[in-house]
């Protein structure tokens, strides 16, 4: 039994070492993925279910490594975060989104009433140069601030909330909107909602998944929709995959929908095709 215990320790240590090495290797590969053009963006449409129109799209990053192939964001985003690379990559995502947004507006593909949602991690938001860098990118790309919706998470609100509010007010004065991503999953109190200049609550897909069968999920989603209504915020449901989920959300007047039911995240060409197909209907 003692031998077995020792084996387990060795196994565990190997596993840990392997993990550490994998992480370091991954970090090394990620370090020049930008310059080697291995990242690209996909866009997931957000739909108003009352008339099937496109109200916006969320930008999501993808990584295609020449030999590893597609690596999922669930795997590499945490490494970008722990290494601090998320700041640089986050600005890259922001800039690329703005370049595309400008093009689409010029081409008439997109209209300035439609939003582009961009994820900003707490580390990037807390970068002392965050506000200036965003303003610079908007100026250089010609992307209008009123089309930009920055998705933040509750993790950002745990400390230095005053600083967060100051930055949000600066960006909001330009016309940028703010959404709280994965609303209700973070460890934070609701009291911040009174102080925070946010526009949208995004209902996390973990609450949508078991609808309409799970009573607790139903209660949580109804509550979030009601909070949004009372605070005069918009509300969008994420991870909507089925007609049943859509029907439930319609029945409680939650009409902004993002999820596979309408579309998976799409590469640029397919996204433009999706937009044009909707127009020709
Ligand atoms: P998120 O911001 O909550 O993004 C939504 C995730 O749900 C995306 O996963 C999307 O592909 C997936 N999704 C959308 N609709 C459905 C659906 O109907 N069913 C299911 N099962 N999934 C759906 P993805 O693209 O793998 O991204 C995972 C996470 O990685 C994101 O979660 C976000 O936290 C992070 N991420 C992705 N791109 C960026 C980025 O550019 N910057 C930062 N900071 N984080 C990013
Ligand atoms: Ca998001
Ligand atoms: Ca989310
Ligand atoms: Ca999420």
């Amino acid at each position: 039994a003692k031998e077995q215990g020792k084996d387990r320790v060795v196994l565990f240590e190997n596993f840990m070492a392997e993990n550490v090495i994998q992480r370091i290797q991954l970090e090394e590969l990620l370090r020049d993925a930008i310059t080697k053009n291995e990242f690209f963006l996909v866009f997931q449409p957000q739909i108003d279910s009352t008339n099937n129109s496109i109200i916006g799209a969320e930008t999501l990053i993808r990584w295609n490594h020449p030999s590893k192939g597609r690596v999922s964001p669930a795997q590499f985003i945490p490494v970008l975060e722990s290494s601090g690379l998320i700041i640089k990559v986050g600005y890259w995502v922001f800039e690329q989104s703005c370049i595309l947004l400008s093009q689409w507006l010029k081409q008439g593909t997109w209209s300035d009433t439609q939003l582009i949602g961009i994820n900003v991690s707490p580390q990037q938001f807390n970068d002392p140069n965050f506000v200036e860098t965003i303003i610079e990118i908007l100026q250089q790309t010609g992307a209008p601030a009123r089309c930009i919706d920055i998705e933040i998470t509750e993790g950002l609100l745990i400390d230095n909330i005053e600083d967060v509010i100051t930055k949000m007010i600066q960006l909001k004065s330009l016309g940028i909107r703010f959404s709280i991503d994965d609303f209700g999953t973070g460890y934070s109190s609701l009291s911040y909602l009174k102080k925070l200049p946010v526009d949208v609550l995004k209902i996390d897909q973990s609450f949508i998944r078991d609808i309409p069968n799970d009573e607790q999920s139903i209660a949580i989603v109804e509550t979030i929709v009601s909070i949004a209504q009372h605070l005069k915020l918009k509300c969008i449901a994420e991870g909507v995959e089925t007609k049943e989920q859509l029907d439930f959300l319609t029945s409680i007047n939650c009409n902004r929908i993002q999820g596979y039911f309408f579309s998976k995240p799409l590469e640029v060409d397919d996204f433009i095709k999706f937009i044009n197909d909707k127009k020709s209907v």
Side-chain angles (χ1 to χ4, degrees):
K2 204 176 173 195
E3 275 306 297
Q4 212 186 341
K6 202 172 132 202
D7 281 355
R8 268 198 210 122
V9 171
V10 171
L11 252 172
F12 179 71
E13 279 171 356
N14 281 345
F15 174 76
M16 289 298 284
E18 236 169 71
N19 258 354
V20 170
I21 291 166
Q22 273 178 2
R23 226 180 157 81
I24 292 168
Q25 282 174 340
L26 205 55
E27 191 179 320
E28 212 46 59
L29 297 177
L30 282 163
R31 215 165 269 287
D32 43 28
I34 292 187
T35 46
K36 289 185 177 162
N37 256 327
E38 291 168 7
F39 290 125
F40 62 99
L41 301 180
V42 291
F43 294 85
Q44 187 172 33
Q46 299 171 330
I47 305 292
D48 176 348
S49 61
T50 60
N51 57 15
N52 269 357
S53 65
I54 302 171
I55 50 176
E58 178 176 4
T59 299
L60 296 156
I61 192 170
R62 294 291 178 265
W63 183 26
N64 200 2
H65 184 264
S67 60
K68 283 180 175 297
R70 288 283 193 102
V71 186
S72 120
Q75 228 185 318
F76 71 82
I77 296 274
V79 181
L80 291 176
E81 275 167 354
S82 67
S83 62
L85 287 167
I86 192 72
I87 298 179
K88 191 175 169 201
V89 174
Y91 287 134
W92 181 85
V93 169
F94 204 95
E95 186 179 28
Q96 292 303 306
S97 302
C98 287
I99 291 171
L100 288 167
L101 169 61
S102 281
Q103 280 176 14
W104 297 340
L105 286 168
K106 273 203 200 97
Q107 295 163 351
T109 305
W110 204 244
S111 94
D112 71 357
T113 57
Q114 292 171 308
L115 298 175
I116 294 292
I118 304 174
N119 293 287
V120 169
S121 80
Q123 222 185 122
Q124 186 190 359
F125 197 97
N126 286 325
D127 172 23
N129 300 319
F130 183 67
V131 173
E132 293 98 284
T133 309
I134 295 303
I135 292 173
E136 227 172 80
I137 293 174
L138 292 176
Q139 283 170 347
Q140 278 168 8
T141 59
R146 65 181 172 282
C147 291
I148 308 283
D149 177 85
I150 291 182
E151 298 193 5
I152 58 171
T153 53
E154 289 167 314
L156 179 62
L157 310 172
I158 290 169
D159 35 49
N160 58 32
I161 186 152
E162 296 308 325
D163 188 46
V164 170
I165 292 173
T166 306
K167 287 180 169 177
M168 283 177 75
I169 290 172
Q170 286 174 308
L171 292 169
K172 275 193 76 78
S173 73
L174 304 172
I176 289 181
R177 329 271 176 108
F178 284 93
S179 297
I180 300 187
D181 203 0
D182 307 340
F183 181 74
T185 64
Y187 188 77
S188 68
S189 84
L190 283 179
S191 62
Y192 71 79
L193 277 181
K194 288 200 296 185
K195 305 197 265 178
L196 216 63
V198 290
D199 305 279
V200 184
L201 305 181
K202 290 193 85 173
I203 306 174
D204 190 61
Q205 50 181 279
S206 62
F207 301 133
I208 303 295
R209 189 172 305 130
D210 299 324
I211 280 182
N213 300 319
D214 179 49
E215 277 176 38
Q216 285 180 323
S217 298
I218 288 179
I220 291 169
V221 171
E222 280 178 346
T223 304
I224 295 175
V225 170
S226 157
I227 290 172
Q229 270 166 7
H230 285 289
L231 297 179
K232 301 197 167 53
L233 303 173
K234 289 173 181 148
C235 177
I236 176 163
E238 277 199 286
V240 177
E241 294 183 352
T242 68
K243 180 78 168 63
E244 288 73 27
Q245 290 167 343
L246 180 68
D247 288 344
F248 168 77
L249 290 162
T250 305
S251 78
I252 60 168
N253 230 346
C254 175
N255 302 312
R256 292 179 180 81
I257 307 289
Q258 181 181 342
Y260 296 170
F261 181 78
F262 286 109
S263 174
K264 294 203 166 188
L266 301 170
E267 292 185 26
V268 171
D269 290 354
D270 290 331
F271 180 61
I272 290 175
K273 199 170 166 299
F274 183 92
I275 297 169
N276 289 331
D277 285 353
K278 273 258 181 302
K279 279 180 189 159
S280 61
V281 169

